[in-house]
Amino acid sequence: ATAEQLRPHLSALLATVARPVFCVPGRASDDDAGASFAATQLRLCSFLGQLISSAGAACASGDNGLLLYSALMRVASVPSSAQHGFASQRRAIECLSAMAAAVDGGSAEALHAVFLPPLLAQITAGEAYKSWKVDSAEWHLFQALCRQAGGATCAR
């Protein structure tokens, strides 16, 4: 599909995958569930990569960009294990780079500067962070955001 064909459907489509609970386990300690999620995470990243390739800046900026960023960072935040490796996390970061390139050839650092603050506000709203545990998905997302965005972006 072309960018024009995808444009009317992008917001709904990206809203559906912005919180990919269907492939990101709620608790990192559930290694059995992790095995079934790993393949789905890779498929989701392949789908998002194709969407970025087809729709370009239409899916990588504004509200759509935040939804896409959220999905990619959630997959990138899934802890690895010796059994499952880092394949889906690497693929999510590759898609993030493709997303950045789709927005005026920008960098992942620029994407983090734009999308980290609103995503961080979403996951910490209502002091939700007070209930995070070391194995909760939101805790891992917070860690991935800090690692990937870097100190200067996080400090803002």
Side-chain angles (χ1 to χ4, degrees):
T2 67
E4 287 308 311
Q5 292 169 325
L6 287 170
R7 192 175 306 275
H9 309 286
L10 283 175
S11 293
L13 183 60
L14 290 168
T16 302
V17 298
R19 287 189 59 102
V21 294
F22 56 88
C23 72
V24 175
R27 295 267 175 240
S29 60
D30 191 356
D31 201 44
D32 290 334
S36 62
F37 288 132
T40 307
Q41 292 163 2
L42 285 169
R43 285 187 198 105
L44 175 62
C45 288
S46 291
F47 167 74
L48 293 175
Q50 278 300 116
L51 191 62
I52 294 165
S53 178
S54 297
C59 72
S61 55
D63 291 341
N64 287 340
L66 178 58
L67 295 169
L68 180 58
Y69 179 81
S70 176
L72 291 171
M73 288 307 300
R74 287 175 189 279
V75 173
S77 73
V78 175
S80 178
S81 70
Q83 183 179 5
H84 309 300
F86 285 101
S88 58
Q89 295 87 338
R90 277 193 303 270
R91 182 68 178 117
I93 296 303
E94 289 168 4
C95 287
L96 195 69
S97 294
M99 178 183 172
V103 182
D104 299 326
S107 68
E109 183 179 318
L111 281 183
H112 291 302
V114 171
F115 296 122
L116 180 135
L119 182 55
L120 195 55
Q122 286 176 10
I123 68 171
T124 59
E127 297 185 343
Y129 58 88
K130 289 183 177 181
S131 66
W132 292 349
K133 302 216 178 324
V134 71
D135 65 345
S136 64
E138 302 295 12
W139 168 245
H140 287 283
L141 175 58
F142 176 75
Q143 287 184 321
L145 289 168
C146 291
R147 272 193 315 272
Q148 293 298 320
T153 299
C154 290
R156 288 185 218 146

